[in-house]
Amino acid sequence: MEKDSGIRPGTEAMPAGYAAWLAALKAQIRAARLRASLSVNAELIGLYWRIGREILERQERLGWGAGVVGRLAADLRAAFPGTGGFSRANLLYMRAFAEAWPEAEVVQRVVGRLPWGQNIELLSKLKDPAERLWYAEAALEQGWSRPVLVHQIESRLHARQGQAVTNFDRALPPAQSDLARQILKDPYHFEFLGLGPAAQERALEQGLIARVRDVLLELGKGFAFCGSQHHLEVGGQDWYVDLLFYHRRLRCLIAVDLKTGPFQPEHAGKMNFYLAALDEMERQPGDNPSIGLILCRERNRVVVEYALRGLGSPIGVSQYRVMLPEALPGALAEALPSGEDIASRMDLPDGDLPEPGGEG
């Protein structure tokens, strides 16, 4: 019989290299679990697409009525009592899914890699195929969760992306100019700060720092927060950049100047000064030229274009919003479909709410 050494597991001295080996094993296990999860999700979405396509084909080619969906739901739930996802509402989503994405290649490459819950949001909230594909690809690329995807759709991110007024085409090489322009938005949405229209610049800055996670989400993938009131000493005088970021894809510093009023031409000159100082004092080997972003309450495009003309540093000017839009006018609100209207158009009975099919 083996004698007990008296040393409990985890208390004995570990051999050299054990910690690194353990870390590598943990990384392998996490990667394997992620691959398994993605594989299961892809199989599930592929199954839903095939079911939806067969329902669609039988209804269109053979003239089967809408009632077949309810019968199919009952039969599938009877055949697979412990398996969810086969309600009548979810089968209708499968049909809509197959109709929205008729090409198997797009399903495999993009939407098949998103959770079913995110696909439901894409179907429910977006009617234009190009917009739907834009958000699907963005969600996949940036790893959005389901709530983040909903937020980006409701804030009309696709219409804001790349809309800042810039001089990038003159101040940056073409490849970097295109990427930098795509990264900036107009307007930025900071409603999560809960600030009123009379908020001062310091309150805006403090709010953004306190909610830096939300700020980074609104800025987009690739931004890393470096600090606030970043100190620069130039000619024996002290200067401070409101917010400083580093962008991983652009490989450059991004200085942000906050303005609670409308854009003024002198704002561009001050930002040009900041960028010159950052490039001279803090730009690292391999970094690209620093970029400036002036965030203001409002801006006149023509004034901005004139102010940026002739400046050598790359600068963008965007507006921001700190308050939610006011309630819809009565006439417009009355023109929107009700929940009952939407349900009837989807052939859903009252109370038969679509299944989320899992969080995403």
Side-chain angles (χ1 to χ4, degrees):
M1 184 174 182
E2 187 176 349
K3 185 176 180 181
D4 187 354
S5 65
I7 300 177
R8 304 272 70 83
T11 62
E12 64 271 23
M14 291 296 102
Y18 176 82
W21 178 58
L22 177 61
L25 285 179
K26 288 179 179 178
Q28 292 179 41
I29 293 170
R30 293 189 185 101
R33 285 179 171 176
L34 176 59
R35 288 194 299 270
S37 175
L38 293 174
S39 176
V40 169
N41 180 76
E43 285 294 329
L44 178 66
I45 302 302
L47 172 64
Y48 283 180
W49 181 76
R50 291 190 295 274
I51 291 174
R53 186 176 60 176
E54 293 194 15
I55 294 172
L56 191 64
E57 288 178 350
R58 281 161 173 74
Q59 289 185 329
E60 291 183 348
R61 181 165 52 85
L62 302 178
W64 289 10
V68 72
V69 178
R71 174 62 184 271
L72 180 62
D75 289 341
L76 289 178
R77 282 190 286 195
F80 304 99
T83 303
F86 293 128
S87 70
R88 179 175 180 274
N90 219 36
L91 290 176
L92 287 170
Y93 269 126
M94 295 177 203
R95 181 188 186 281
F97 182 65
E99 188 174 29
W101 309 106
E103 299 178 5
E105 188 274 334
V106 176
V107 175
Q108 295 169 359
R109 179 177 59 86
V110 185
V111 292
R113 299 166 63 187
L114 295 174
W116 183 237
Q118 293 195 22
N119 276 297
I120 286 180
E121 300 297 350
L122 292 170
L123 292 172
S124 302
K125 298 184 180 300
L126 298 167
K127 301 304 179 186
D128 181 77
E131 280 186 29
R132 194 185 297 123
L133 180 59
W134 190 93
Y135 281 102
E137 290 177 335
L140 183 62
E141 178 189 357
Q142 303 202 33
W144 292 339
S145 66
R146 186 175 182 175
V148 171
L149 172 61
V150 171
H151 168 75
Q152 302 293 24
I153 292 173
E154 292 179 346
S155 69
R156 294 183 54 77
L157 175 63
H158 76 285
R160 299 186 288 126
Q161 200 84 42
Q163 296 304 306
V165 185
T166 76
N167 65 347
F168 294 165
D169 59 336
R170 300 186 300 275
L172 293 172
Q176 191 184 16
S177 170
D178 292 342
L179 178 58
R181 187 167 53 251
Q182 292 170 13
I183 283 170
L184 298 190
K185 308 170 187 174
D186 185 39
Y188 284 88
H189 286 187
F190 298 145
E191 291 91 350
F192 54 81
L193 297 178
L195 298 175
Q200 299 299 308
E201 289 175 13
R202 188 59 178 163
L204 175 61
E205 179 188 332
Q206 290 174 340
L208 293 176
I209 296 170
R211 301 287 296 273
V212 69
R213 179 178 178 275
D214 296 307
V215 172
L216 290 173
L217 175 61
E218 174 62 12
L219 290 175
K221 186 177 181 180
F223 281 85
F225 181 58
C226 298
S228 65
Q229 291 299 304
H230 184 79
H231 177 245
L232 296 171
E233 183 178 344
V234 180
Q237 299 182 39
D238 295 321
W239 306 87
Y240 297 90
V241 178
D242 288 341
L243 300 171
L244 187 65
F245 297 87
Y246 187 86
H247 198 277
R248 295 175 61 188
R249 290 184 64 191
L250 288 170
R251 298 202 315 275
C252 71
L253 291 168
I254 297 184
V256 177
D257 203 12
L258 303 172
K259 302 298 178 185
T260 54
F263 173 82
Q264 301 295 334
E266 55 266 30
H267 298 161
K270 187 177 181 181
M271 177 59 77
N272 191 61
F273 168 79
Y274 285 156
L275 296 178
L278 285 169
D279 282 344
E280 176 67 24
M281 301 175 183
E282 303 193 19
R283 182 177 171 187
Q284 299 296 310
D287 283 352
N288 289 312
S290 301
I291 291 175
L293 173 60
I294 302 171
L295 288 176
C296 47
R297 186 64 63 92
E298 58 186 82
R299 56 110 179 103
N300 181 295
R301 174 176 288 272
V302 176
V303 172
V304 173
E305 290 176 348
Y306 270 91
L308 297 183
R309 189 175 298 178
L311 293 181
S313 298
I315 298 173
V317 178
S318 295
Q319 302 167 103
Y320 64 85
R321 303 283 182 265
V322 294
M323 295 182 65
L324 291 170
E326 296 181 0
L328 292 171
L332 180 57
E334 292 175 3
L336 295 176
S338 65
E340 292 76 9
D341 292 335
I342 295 173
S344 64
R345 292 175 190 176
M346 293 184 63
D347 196 23
L348 295 174
D350 293 339
D352 191 1
L353 297 178
E355 288 186 358
E359 289 299 319

